Amino acid sequence: MEFIKELLAFMWERKIWWLLPMIIVLLLVGALIVIGGGTAAAPFVYTLF
């Protein structure tokens, strides 16, 4: 949790809010890969890519 606070403080200080959407997209793609790795939803996730 501390990492997220530091990241947001860094982004606030440096005025690089444009980086936030990229981080969110990377997290969502990572979650799709983790979910699609070993569940019954894997064939449906693989069709997205």
Side-chain angles (χ1 to χ4, degrees):
M1 198 64 168
E2 185 68 27
F3 174 74
I4 295 172
K5 288 180 183 178
E6 288 182 19
L7 181 63
L8 289 175
F10 173 77
M11 290 172 61
W12 180 265
E13 184 176 323
R14 304 275 183 191
K15 306 288 190 251
I16 52 173
W17 287 108
W18 54 268
L19 195 60
L20 191 60
M22 285 191 271
I23 292 171
I24 292 171
V25 167
L26 285 174
L27 289 174
L28 289 175
V29 169
L32 273 176
I33 291 171
V34 169
I35 290 171
T39 64
F44 303 110
V45 172
Y46 290 132
T47 59
L48 294 175
F49 298 104

